């Protein structure tokens, strides 16, 4: 599975959009981009995933660049409860080894 | 329902104790996982079960013994642990191992303290 690079931490004002970048320059054609988050002392929570098209669900939007070497997770209206560590993971066929990187610690401030 | 439950929530044990962690899911998933997470670190994969058979053991010491008695249950038996084994133990499940995309659903974890 390809490696991902994320900034260690980010701040966001409550009510504003939080844009979390992820670099996965070695991604292969059949590898999906997954995002999870982990709120303090809880289990990781699935957010969204995509292959090459942009995706949106009730939690977030995922924007994947055309060359698929990077992606951005967008939380459209961040709340204090979105403060968490966000993990970007790349998985391919048979990629049941979900390898977590260091993630981005997002602080949403009032 | 995407719930994975884990018991107990907290566990304190001595180095000579034997204890077990339990994980349960009723989503019909056929793959189940154990992860270990140390403070301020990402989760690390320990074991993967597929259709109740052990598929992956990430070189985990034998003092950790997994068991999958049926497709809904996953246990982790602990014996003669060391203080450095203190961590959050996470269970996860997914529908299958052999699909190109596989979403894992995690339980809340068991926080283990070894004295």
């Amino acid at each position: 599975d390809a490696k991902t690079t994320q900034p260690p931490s980010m701040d966001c004002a409550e009510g504003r959009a939080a844009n979390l970048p992820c670099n996965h320059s070695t991604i292969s054609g059949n590898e999906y981009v997954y995002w999870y988050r982990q709120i303090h002392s809880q289990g990781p929570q699935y957010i969204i995933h995509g292959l090459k098209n942009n995706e949106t669900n009730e939690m977030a939007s995922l924007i994947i660049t055309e060359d698929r070497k990077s992606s951005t997770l967008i939380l459209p209206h961040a709340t204090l409860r979105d403060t968490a560590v966000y993990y970007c993971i790349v998985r391919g066929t048979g990629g049941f080894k979900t390898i977590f990187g260091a993630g981005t610690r997002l602080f949403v401030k009032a | 329902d995407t719930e994975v439950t884990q018991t107990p929530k907290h566990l304190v044990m001595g180095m000579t104790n034997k204890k077990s962690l339990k994980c349960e899911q009723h989503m019909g998933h056929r793959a189940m996982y154990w992860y270990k997470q140390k403070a301020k670190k990402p989760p690390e994969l320990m074991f993967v079960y597929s259709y109740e058979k052990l598929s992956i053991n990430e070189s985990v010491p034998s003092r950790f013994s997994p068991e999958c008695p049926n497709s809904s249950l996953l246990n982790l038996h602990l014996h003669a642990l060391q203080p450095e084994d203190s961590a959050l133990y996470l269970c996860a499940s997914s529908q299958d191992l052999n699909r190109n995309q596989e979403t894992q659903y995690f339980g809340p974890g068991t926080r283990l303290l070894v004295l």
Side-chain angles (χ1 to χ4, degrees):
Chain A
D1 292 334
K3 183 180 175 182
T4 61
T5 304
Q6 298 176 254
S9 67
M10 294 181 64
D11 289 344
C12 178
E14 190 178 20
R16 304 296 294 269
N19 298 286
L20 292 96
C22 179
N23 181 287
H24 31 78
S25 57
T26 60
I27 194 169
S28 300
N30 64 351
E31 290 184 315
Y32 283 78
V33 179
Y34 274 79
W35 283 84
Y36 289 82
R37 74 179 182 183
Q38 188 172 23
I39 295 169
H40 181 62
S41 294
Q42 299 181 22
Q45 177 189 23
Y46 164 76
I47 302 173
I48 198 167
H49 74 282
L51 183 62
K52 51 186 175 183
N53 297 323
N54 297 338
E55 302 287 344
T56 294
N57 63 21
E58 64 279 2
M59 287 183 69
S61 294
L62 175 59
I63 309 297
I64 302 174
T65 57
E66 195 167 338
D67 63 7
R68 302 210 325 122
K69 292 185 177 183
S70 66
S71 61
T72 300
L73 177 75
I74 300 173
L75 308 179
H77 305 287
T79 70
L80 298 178
R81 286 178 294 182
D82 292 320
T83 292
V85 178
Y86 287 77
Y87 296 102
C88 168
I89 295 158
V90 171
R91 292 186 56 185
T93 302
F96 41 81
K97 285 190 179 186
T98 296
I99 308 297
F100 287 84
T104 295
R105 192 170 294 272
L106 175 69
F107 296 94
V108 180
K109 299 183 177 179
Chain B
D1 181 12
T2 56
E3 187 178 24
V4 175
T5 59
Q6 290 187 245
T7 54
K9 284 187 171 33
H10 302 275
L11 180 62
V12 180
M13 61 186 290
M15 289 188 283
T16 58
N17 292 158
K18 285 185 181 181
K19 297 286 185 184
S20 296
L21 310 185
K22 180 180 172 182
C23 172
E24 196 165 0
Q25 57 88 12
H26 295 288
M27 295 179 276
H29 289 174
R30 304 315 299 265
M32 296 186 77
Y33 313 74
W34 280 115
Y35 289 82
K36 173 182 178 179
Q37 186 174 26
K38 300 284 280 183
K40 299 193 185 302
K41 297 289 187 183
E44 294 178 357
L45 184 66
M46 299 174 73
F47 302 104
V48 180
Y49 272 82
S50 175
Y51 289 84
E52 298 151 52
K53 288 186 170 39
L54 185 63
S55 290
I56 290 184
N57 175 342
E58 290 287 273
S59 302
V60 179
S62 59
R63 58 186 184 269
F64 295 91
S65 175
E67 178 197 19
C68 190
N70 62 56
S71 58
S72 300
L73 277 176
L74 185 66
N75 298 320
L76 186 62
H77 303 297
L78 314 172
H79 175 54
L81 293 194
Q82 303 296 311
E84 59 263 30
D85 296 321
S86 299
L88 180 68
Y89 288 84
L90 294 160
C91 174
S93 71
S94 65
Q95 188 169 342
D96 205 338
L97 279 188
N98 297 318
R99 289 149 33 104
N100 197 27
Q101 49 180 314
E102 201 58 54
T103 298
Q104 292 186 19
Y105 296 92
F106 286 81
T110 293
R111 190 160 298 282
L112 174 68
L113 177 62
V114 182
L115 299 176

PDB file of all heavy atoms in Angstrom, chain B residues 41-69:
ATOM      1  N   LYS B  41       0.017   7.582  19.553  1.00  0.00           N
ATOM      2  CA  LYS B  41       0.495   6.870  18.367  1.00  0.00           C
ATOM      3  C   LYS B  41      -0.701   6.349  17.574  1.00  0.00           C
ATOM      4  O   LYS B  41      -1.794   6.193  18.122  1.00  0.00           O
ATOM      5  CB  LYS B  41       1.373   5.676  18.781  1.00  0.00           C
ATOM      6  CG  LYS B  41       2.636   6.068  19.512  1.00  0.00           C
ATOM      7  CD  LYS B  41       3.617   6.736  18.584  1.00  0.00           C
ATOM      8  CE  LYS B  41       4.936   6.981  19.282  1.00  0.00           C
ATOM      9  NZ  LYS B  41       5.891   7.703  18.393  1.00  0.00           N
ATOM     10  N   PRO B  42      -0.518   6.069  16.283  1.00  0.00           N
ATOM     11  CA  PRO B  42      -1.620   5.495  15.516  1.00  0.00           C
ATOM     12  C   PRO B  42      -1.840   4.031  15.875  1.00  0.00           C
ATOM     13  O   PRO B  42      -0.942   3.379  16.424  1.00  0.00           O
ATOM     14  CB  PRO B  42      -1.154   5.641  14.070  1.00  0.00           C
ATOM     15  CG  PRO B  42       0.327   5.694  14.145  1.00  0.00           C
ATOM     16  CD  PRO B  42       0.662   6.347  15.452  1.00  0.00           C
ATOM     17  N   PRO B  43      -3.013   3.485  15.574  1.00  0.00           N
ATOM     18  CA  PRO B  43      -3.257   2.053  15.818  1.00  0.00           C
ATOM     19  C   PRO B  43      -2.311   1.186  14.984  1.00  0.00           C
ATOM     20  O   PRO B  43      -1.982   1.524  13.847  1.00  0.00           O
ATOM     21  CB  PRO B  43      -4.712   1.854  15.380  1.00  0.00           C
ATOM     22  CG  PRO B  43      -5.321   3.218  15.429  1.00  0.00           C
ATOM     23  CD  PRO B  43      -4.220   4.165  15.076  1.00  0.00           C
ATOM     24  N   GLU B  44      -1.917   0.058  15.575  1.00  0.00           N
ATOM     25  CA  GLU B  44      -1.054  -0.898  14.874  1.00  0.00           C
ATOM     26  C   GLU B  44      -1.777  -2.244  14.803  1.00  0.00           C
ATOM     27  O   GLU B  44      -2.286  -2.750  15.802  1.00  0.00           O
ATOM     28  CB  GLU B  44       0.262  -1.095  15.625  1.00  0.00           C
ATOM     29  CG  GLU B  44       1.147   0.128  15.671  1.00  0.00           C
ATOM     30  CD  GLU B  44       2.421  -0.123  16.463  1.00  0.00           C
ATOM     31  OE1 GLU B  44       2.581  -1.226  17.009  1.00  0.00           O
ATOM     32  OE2 GLU B  44       3.262   0.791  16.525  1.00  0.00           O
ATOM     33  N   LEU B  45      -1.795  -2.815  13.608  1.00  0.00           N
ATOM     34  CA  LEU B  45      -2.479  -4.084  13.399  1.00  0.00           C
ATOM     35  C   LEU B  45      -1.764  -5.208  14.147  1.00  0.00           C
ATOM     36  O   LEU B  45      -0.531  -5.297  14.128  1.00  0.00           O
ATOM     37  CB  LEU B  45      -2.523  -4.406  11.906  1.00  0.00           C
ATOM     38  CG  LEU B  45      -3.284  -5.656  11.490  1.00  0.00           C
ATOM     39  CD1 LEU B  45      -4.777  -5.502  11.779  1.00  0.00           C
ATOM     40  CD2 LEU B  45      -3.048  -5.943  10.015  1.00  0.00           C
ATOM     41  N   MET B  46      -2.581  -6.071  14.805  1.00  0.00           N
ATOM     42  CA  MET B  46      -2.028  -7.245  15.494  1.00  0.00           C
ATOM     43  C   MET B  46      -2.434  -8.527  14.771  1.00  0.00           C
ATOM     44  O   MET B  46      -1.600  -9.322  14.380  1.00  0.00           O
ATOM     45  CB  MET B  46      -2.548  -7.305  16.926  1.00  0.00           C
ATOM     46  CG  MET B  46      -2.184  -6.132  17.787  1.00  0.00           C
ATOM     47  SD  MET B  46      -2.985  -6.231  19.404  1.00  0.00           S
ATOM     48  CE  MET B  46      -2.055  -7.550  20.194  1.00  0.00           C
ATOM     49  N   PHE B  47      -3.746  -8.740  14.633  1.00  0.00           N
ATOM     50  CA  PHE B  47      -4.272  -9.978  14.052  1.00  0.00           C
ATOM     51  C   PHE B  47      -5.423  -9.660  13.111  1.00  0.00           C
ATOM     52  O   PHE B  47      -6.141  -8.694  13.297  1.00  0.00           O
ATOM     53  CB  PHE B  47      -4.815 -10.912  15.142  1.00  0.00           C
ATOM     54  CG  PHE B  47      -3.829 -11.303  16.203  1.00  0.00           C
ATOM     55  CD1 PHE B  47      -3.880 -10.720  17.461  1.00  0.00           C
ATOM     56  CD2 PHE B  47      -2.868 -12.274  15.958  1.00  0.00           C
ATOM     57  CE1 PHE B  47      -2.984 -11.088  18.451  1.00  0.00           C
ATOM     58  CE2 PHE B  47      -1.967 -12.647  16.938  1.00  0.00           C
ATOM     59  CZ  PHE B  47      -2.020 -12.055  18.191  1.00  0.00           C
ATOM     60  N   VAL B  48      -5.582 -10.547  12.104  1.00  0.00           N
ATOM     61  CA  VAL B  48      -6.728 -10.479  11.205  1.00  0.00           C
ATOM     62  C   VAL B  48      -7.326 -11.867  11.096  1.00  0.00           C
ATOM     63  O   VAL B  48      -6.607 -12.846  10.861  1.00  0.00           O
ATOM     64  CB  VAL B  48      -6.343  -9.999   9.786  1.00  0.00           C
ATOM     65  CG1 VAL B  48      -7.581  -9.937   8.892  1.00  0.00           C
ATOM     66  CG2 VAL B  48      -5.647  -8.654   9.841  1.00  0.00           C
ATOM     67  N   TYR B  49      -8.641 -11.949  11.267  1.00  0.00           N
ATOM     68  CA  TYR B  49      -9.376 -13.187  11.065  1.00  0.00           C
ATOM     69  C   TYR B  49     -10.285 -13.027   9.856  1.00  0.00           C
ATOM     70  O   TYR B  49     -10.922 -11.988   9.671  1.00  0.00           O
ATOM     71  CB  TYR B  49     -10.235 -13.525  12.289  1.00  0.00           C
ATOM     72  CG  TYR B  49      -9.514 -14.336  13.329  1.00  0.00           C
ATOM     73  CD1 TYR B  49      -8.679 -13.720  14.259  1.00  0.00           C
ATOM     74  CD2 TYR B  49      -9.658 -15.718  13.386  1.00  0.00           C
ATOM     75  CE1 TYR B  49      -8.009 -14.471  15.217  1.00  0.00           C
ATOM     76  CE2 TYR B  49      -9.000 -16.472  14.330  1.00  0.00           C
ATOM     77  CZ  TYR B  49      -8.168 -15.847  15.247  1.00  0.00           C
ATOM     78  OH  TYR B  49      -7.507 -16.591  16.193  1.00  0.00           O
ATOM     79  N   SER B  50     -10.343 -14.079   9.060  1.00  0.00           N
ATOM     80  CA  SER B  50     -11.257 -14.115   7.927  1.00  0.00           C
ATOM     81  C   SER B  50     -12.020 -15.434   7.973  1.00  0.00           C
ATOM     82  O   SER B  50     -11.401 -16.499   7.994  1.00  0.00           O
ATOM     83  CB  SER B  50     -10.484 -14.002   6.610  1.00  0.00           C
ATOM     84  OG  SER B  50     -11.353 -14.148   5.509  1.00  0.00           O
ATOM     85  N   TYR B  51     -13.335 -15.355   7.991  1.00  0.00           N
ATOM     86  CA  TYR B  51     -14.174 -16.551   8.088  1.00  0.00           C
ATOM     87  C   TYR B  51     -13.706 -17.458   9.231  1.00  0.00           C
ATOM     88  O   TYR B  51     -13.556 -18.668   9.078  1.00  0.00           O
ATOM     89  CB  TYR B  51     -14.189 -17.301   6.750  1.00  0.00           C
ATOM     90  CG  TYR B  51     -14.974 -16.569   5.685  1.00  0.00           C
ATOM     91  CD1 TYR B  51     -14.386 -15.553   4.940  1.00  0.00           C
ATOM     92  CD2 TYR B  51     -16.317 -16.874   5.440  1.00  0.00           C
ATOM     93  CE1 TYR B  51     -15.128 -14.849   3.993  1.00  0.00           C
ATOM     94  CE2 TYR B  51     -17.057 -16.193   4.497  1.00  0.00           C
ATOM     95  CZ  TYR B  51     -16.448 -15.165   3.771  1.00  0.00           C
ATOM     96  OH  TYR B  51     -17.176 -14.487   2.829  1.00  0.00           O
ATOM     97  N   GLU B  52     -13.450 -16.818  10.358  1.00  0.00           N
ATOM     98  CA  GLU B  52     -13.119 -17.480  11.627  1.00  0.00           C
ATOM     99  C   GLU B  52     -11.757 -18.159  11.618  1.00  0.00           C
ATOM    100  O   GLU B  52     -11.426 -18.909  12.543  1.00  0.00           O
ATOM    101  CB  GLU B  52     -14.221 -18.485  12.005  1.00  0.00           C
ATOM    102  CG  GLU B  52     -15.567 -17.812  12.226  1.00  0.00           C
ATOM    103  CD  GLU B  52     -16.752 -18.708  11.908  1.00  0.00           C
ATOM    104  OE1 GLU B  52     -16.792 -19.829  12.429  1.00  0.00           O
ATOM    105  OE2 GLU B  52     -17.638 -18.280  11.133  1.00  0.00           O
ATOM    106  N   LYS B  53     -10.969 -17.888  10.599  1.00  0.00           N
ATOM    107  CA  LYS B  53      -9.615 -18.437  10.544  1.00  0.00           C
ATOM    108  C   LYS B  53      -8.590 -17.299  10.613  1.00  0.00           C
ATOM    109  O   LYS B  53      -8.787 -16.253   9.999  1.00  0.00           O
ATOM    110  CB  LYS B  53      -9.407 -19.245   9.266  1.00  0.00           C
ATOM    111  CG  LYS B  53     -10.143 -20.568   9.243  1.00  0.00           C
ATOM    112  CD  LYS B  53      -9.780 -21.377   8.019  1.00  0.00           C
ATOM    113  CE  LYS B  53     -10.291 -22.804   8.051  1.00  0.00           C
ATOM    114  NZ  LYS B  53     -11.631 -22.982   8.606  1.00  0.00           N
ATOM    115  N   LEU B  54      -7.506 -17.525  11.324  1.00  0.00           N
ATOM    116  CA  LEU B  54      -6.470 -16.524  11.444  1.00  0.00           C
ATOM    117  C   LEU B  54      -5.773 -16.340  10.106  1.00  0.00           C
ATOM    118  O   LEU B  54      -5.202 -17.280   9.554  1.00  0.00           O
ATOM    119  CB  LEU B  54      -5.466 -16.934  12.521  1.00  0.00           C
ATOM    120  CG  LEU B  54      -4.374 -15.914  12.848  1.00  0.00           C
ATOM    121  CD1 LEU B  54      -4.973 -14.634  13.426  1.00  0.00           C
ATOM    122  CD2 LEU B  54      -3.363 -16.514  13.818  1.00  0.00           C
ATOM    123  N   SER B  55      -5.813 -15.121   9.576  1.00  0.00           N
ATOM    124  CA  SER B  55      -5.186 -14.821   8.291  1.00  0.00           C
ATOM    125  C   SER B  55      -3.851 -14.113   8.460  1.00  0.00           C
ATOM    126  O   SER B  55      -2.937 -14.305   7.671  1.00  0.00           O
ATOM    127  CB  SER B  55      -6.095 -13.929   7.444  1.00  0.00           C
ATOM    128  OG  SER B  55      -7.223 -14.627   6.999  1.00  0.00           O
ATOM    129  N   ILE B  56      -3.765 -13.266   9.454  1.00  0.00           N
ATOM    130  CA  ILE B  56      -2.546 -12.492   9.659  1.00  0.00           C
ATOM    131  C   ILE B  56      -2.223 -12.427  11.149  1.00  0.00           C
ATOM    132  O   ILE B  56      -3.101 -12.172  11.974  1.00  0.00           O
ATOM    133  CB  ILE B  56      -2.689 -11.056   9.106  1.00  0.00           C
ATOM    134  CG1 ILE B  56      -2.723 -11.093   7.590  1.00  0.00           C
ATOM    135  CG2 ILE B  56      -1.566 -10.162   9.592  1.00  0.00           C
ATOM    136  CD1 ILE B  56      -2.772  -9.727   6.954  1.00  0.00           C
ATOM    137  N   ASN B  57      -0.970 -12.666  11.468  1.00  0.00           N
ATOM    138  CA  ASN B  57      -0.424 -12.425  12.795  1.00  0.00           C
ATOM    139  C   ASN B  57       0.804 -11.555  12.551  1.00  0.00           C
ATOM    140  O   ASN B  57       1.778 -12.001  11.963  1.00  0.00           O
ATOM    141  CB  ASN B  57      -0.040 -13.747  13.448  1.00  0.00           C
ATOM    142  CG  ASN B  57       0.655 -13.562  14.800  1.00  0.00           C
ATOM    143  OD1 ASN B  57       1.155 -12.495  15.121  1.00  0.00           O
ATOM    144  ND2 ASN B  57       0.652 -14.612  15.590  1.00  0.00           N
ATOM    145  N   GLU B  58       0.729 -10.308  12.992  1.00  0.00           N
ATOM    146  CA  GLU B  58       1.816  -9.368  12.725  1.00  0.00           C
ATOM    147  C   GLU B  58       2.952  -9.546  13.738  1.00  0.00           C
ATOM    148  O   GLU B  58       3.333  -8.607  14.448  1.00  0.00           O
ATOM    149  CB  GLU B  58       1.294  -7.925  12.751  1.00  0.00           C
ATOM    150  CG  GLU B  58       0.401  -7.577  11.594  1.00  0.00           C
ATOM    151  CD  GLU B  58       1.181  -7.415  10.297  1.00  0.00           C
ATOM    152  OE1 GLU B  58       1.675  -6.303  10.043  1.00  0.00           O
ATOM    153  OE2 GLU B  58       1.283  -8.400   9.549  1.00  0.00           O
ATOM    154  N   SER B  59       3.443 -10.778  13.834  1.00  0.00           N
ATOM    155  CA  SER B  59       4.577 -11.079  14.732  1.00  0.00           C
ATOM    156  C   SER B  59       4.286 -10.644  16.166  1.00  0.00           C
ATOM    157  O   SER B  59       5.142 -10.065  16.840  1.00  0.00           O
ATOM    158  CB  SER B  59       5.859 -10.386  14.232  1.00  0.00           C
ATOM    159  OG  SER B  59       6.156 -10.801  12.922  1.00  0.00           O
ATOM    160  N   VAL B  60       3.086 -10.937  16.605  1.00  0.00           N
ATOM    161  CA  VAL B  60       2.676 -10.556  17.956  1.00  0.00           C
ATOM    162  C   VAL B  60       3.189 -11.604  18.951  1.00  0.00           C
ATOM    163  O   VAL B  60       3.108 -12.812  18.675  1.00  0.00           O
ATOM    164  CB  VAL B  60       1.141 -10.465  18.043  1.00  0.00           C
ATOM    165  CG1 VAL B  60       0.688 -10.100  19.448  1.00  0.00           C
ATOM    166  CG2 VAL B  60       0.621  -9.446  17.033  1.00  0.00           C
ATOM    167  N   PRO B  61       3.720 -11.187  20.110  1.00  0.00           N
ATOM    168  CA  PRO B  61       4.209 -12.154  21.104  1.00  0.00           C
ATOM    169  C   PRO B  61       3.117 -13.126  21.526  1.00  0.00           C
ATOM    170  O   PRO B  61       1.928 -12.788  21.549  1.00  0.00           O
ATOM    171  CB  PRO B  61       4.634 -11.258  22.272  1.00  0.00           C
ATOM    172  CG  PRO B  61       4.873  -9.928  21.673  1.00  0.00           C
ATOM    173  CD  PRO B  61       3.946  -9.796  20.514  1.00  0.00           C
ATOM    174  N   SER B  62       3.524 -14.326  21.899  1.00  0.00           N
ATOM    175  CA  SER B  62       2.572 -15.395  22.201  1.00  0.00           C
ATOM    176  C   SER B  62       1.787 -15.147  23.481  1.00  0.00           C
ATOM    177  O   SER B  62       0.814 -15.856  23.746  1.00  0.00           O
ATOM    178  CB  SER B  62       3.310 -16.735  22.312  1.00  0.00           C
ATOM    179  OG  SER B  62       4.283 -16.659  23.339  1.00  0.00           O
ATOM    180  N   ARG B  63       2.166 -14.143  24.262  1.00  0.00           N
ATOM    181  CA  ARG B  63       1.374 -13.811  25.455  1.00  0.00           C
ATOM    182  C   ARG B  63       0.019 -13.209  25.060  1.00  0.00           C
ATOM    183  O   ARG B  63      -0.860 -13.052  25.895  1.00  0.00           O
ATOM    184  CB  ARG B  63       2.147 -12.875  26.384  1.00  0.00           C
ATOM    185  CG  ARG B  63       2.595 -11.575  25.775  1.00  0.00           C
ATOM    186  CD  ARG B  63       3.473 -10.816  26.760  1.00  0.00           C
ATOM    187  NE  ARG B  63       3.880  -9.514  26.285  1.00  0.00           N
ATOM    188  CZ  ARG B  63       4.987  -9.279  25.612  1.00  0.00           C
ATOM    189  NH1 ARG B  63       5.813 -10.295  25.337  1.00  0.00           N
ATOM    190  NH2 ARG B  63       5.293  -8.051  25.224  1.00  0.00           N
ATOM    191  N   PHE B  64      -0.142 -12.865  23.783  1.00  0.00           N
ATOM    192  CA  PHE B  64      -1.429 -12.459  23.234  1.00  0.00           C
ATOM    193  C   PHE B  64      -1.945 -13.623  22.378  1.00  0.00           C
ATOM    194  O   PHE B  64      -1.279 -14.016  21.414  1.00  0.00           O
ATOM    195  CB  PHE B  64      -1.295 -11.223  22.346  1.00  0.00           C
ATOM    196  CG  PHE B  64      -0.865  -9.993  23.074  1.00  0.00           C
ATOM    197  CD1 PHE B  64       0.485  -9.676  23.191  1.00  0.00           C
ATOM    198  CD2 PHE B  64      -1.794  -9.147  23.644  1.00  0.00           C
ATOM    199  CE1 PHE B  64       0.897  -8.543  23.863  1.00  0.00           C
ATOM    200  CE2 PHE B  64      -1.406  -8.004  24.318  1.00  0.00           C
ATOM    201  CZ  PHE B  64      -0.046  -7.708  24.432  1.00  0.00           C
ATOM    202  N   SER B  65      -3.134 -14.121  22.694  1.00  0.00           N
ATOM    203  CA  SER B  65      -3.669 -15.271  21.980  1.00  0.00           C
ATOM    204  C   SER B  65      -5.071 -14.954  21.484  1.00  0.00           C
ATOM    205  O   SER B  65      -6.000 -14.850  22.280  1.00  0.00           O
ATOM    206  CB  SER B  65      -3.695 -16.491  22.909  1.00  0.00           C
ATOM    207  OG  SER B  65      -4.309 -17.581  22.276  1.00  0.00           O
ATOM    208  N   PRO B  66      -5.252 -14.783  20.176  1.00  0.00           N
ATOM    209  CA  PRO B  66      -6.577 -14.471  19.663  1.00  0.00           C
ATOM    210  C   PRO B  66      -7.409 -15.731  19.478  1.00  0.00           C
ATOM    211  O   PRO B  66      -6.889 -16.836  19.342  1.00  0.00           O
ATOM    212  CB  PRO B  66      -6.271 -13.821  18.310  1.00  0.00           C
ATOM    213  CG  PRO B  66      -5.039 -14.525  17.850  1.00  0.00           C
ATOM    214  CD  PRO B  66      -4.239 -14.838  19.091  1.00  0.00           C
ATOM    215  N   GLU B  67      -8.716 -15.501  19.469  1.00  0.00           N
ATOM    216  CA  GLU B  67      -9.645 -16.617  19.253  1.00  0.00           C
ATOM    217  C   GLU B  67     -10.889 -16.073  18.577  1.00  0.00           C
ATOM    218  O   GLU B  67     -11.381 -15.009  18.956  1.00  0.00           O
ATOM    219  CB  GLU B  67     -10.031 -17.261  20.595  1.00  0.00           C
ATOM    220  CG  GLU B  67     -11.034 -18.401  20.472  1.00  0.00           C
ATOM    221  CD  GLU B  67     -11.699 -18.744  21.795  1.00  0.00           C
ATOM    222  OE1 GLU B  67     -11.674 -17.898  22.713  1.00  0.00           O
ATOM    223  OE2 GLU B  67     -12.257 -19.844  21.902  1.00  0.00           O
ATOM    224  N   CYS B  68     -11.403 -16.801  17.600  1.00  0.00           N
ATOM    225  CA  CYS B  68     -12.625 -16.392  16.920  1.00  0.00           C
ATOM    226  C   CYS B  68     -13.618 -17.554  16.996  1.00  0.00           C
ATOM    227  O   CYS B  68     -13.667 -18.392  16.092  1.00  0.00           O
ATOM    228  CB  CYS B  68     -12.327 -16.013  15.470  1.00  0.00           C
ATOM    229  SG  CYS B  68     -13.702 -15.220  14.609  1.00  0.00           S
ATOM    230  N   PRO B  69     -14.403 -17.635  18.054  1.00  0.00           N
ATOM    231  CA  PRO B  69     -15.286 -18.784  18.238  1.00  0.00           C
ATOM    232  C   PRO B  69     -16.425 -18.857  17.223  1.00  0.00           C
ATOM    233  O   PRO B  69     -16.908 -19.949  16.929  1.00  0.00           O
ATOM    234  CB  PRO B  69     -15.824 -18.604  19.659  1.00  0.00           C
ATOM    235  CG  PRO B  69     -15.517 -17.209  20.053  1.00  0.00           C
ATOM    236  CD  PRO B  69     -14.423 -16.723  19.197  1.00  0.00           C
TER     237      PRO B  69
END
